[in-house]
Amino acid sequence: MKAGDALPPLTIPITRTLIVAGAVVSRDYQDVHHDTELARERGSPDIFMNILTTNGLVGRYITDCIGERAVLRKVAIRLGAPNYPGDTMVLSGTVTSVEGATAEVRVVGANGIGNHVTGTVTVILPEAGA
C-alpha cells in the first residue's frame, strides 16, 4: 500500500431498515431516524441516516478493503447530503499517506444528491502475512 492508491468502491443500498436499525443499535432515538411523519413535520422529505451509522459504515469499508486485522485509530468524518431510504451510497477511498504501519485514507461517500460523508481514517495496517 502506498500514497495515491485507490481503494475499491463499496456500494451500499440505503434502505429504511438500515436507517432505523442503525439508529436503534446506536441508541439514537431521534424521531427523524425512524418516524417518517415526524421527520416530514421537521422539514425533511423522509427519515435519514444518523452519523453513528455512517461512522460504522466508513469503518466497515476500511476494514473490508484493508483487512479484518486492520485497527482503526481515528475516524474523522463530516456529513453533507442526507442518506434517505431508496438511495444508494458509494464509498470510495484514496490512501493519502503511509508511515511505517500507519496509513491515512481519505474517504468519500456519495449518494444521489451529493456527498453524504467526507473524511479521513487513520488505520494501523495488519502485518504482512497476518
Side-chain angles (χ1 to χ4, degrees), residues 13 21 29 31 47 49 59 67-68 72 79 85 87 97 100 103 113-114 124:
Y29 304 116
D31 48 34
I47 63 170
M49 183 176 286
E68 65 184 29
L72 302 177
L79 295 184
D87 204 342
S97 70
I113 55 176
I124 306 298

Side-chain angles (χ1 to χ4, degrees), residues 47-128:
I47 63 170
F48 55 90
M49 183 176 286
N50 72 356
I51 191 169
L52 297 170
T53 302
T54 300
N55 197 57
L57 291 172
V58 168
R60 171 196 157 192
Y61 173 61
I62 295 298
T63 57
D64 280 0
C65 290
I66 296 177
E68 65 184 29
R69 299 180 70 93
V71 177
L72 302 177
R73 300 300 286 179
K74 181 178 179 184
V75 178
I77 60 172
R78 173 173 285 193
L79 295 184
N83 266 344
Y84 294 118
D87 204 342
T88 300
M89 178 172 69
V90 179
L91 287 165
S92 59
T94 303
V95 178
T96 56
S97 70
V98 178
E99 293 183 29
T102 303
E104 193 168 279
V105 181
R106 176 86 178 137
V107 176
V108 175
N111 62 28
I113 55 176
N115 286 340
H116 169 68
V117 61
T118 56
T120 303
V121 177
T122 304
V123 59
I124 306 298
L125 303 170
E127 293 181 30

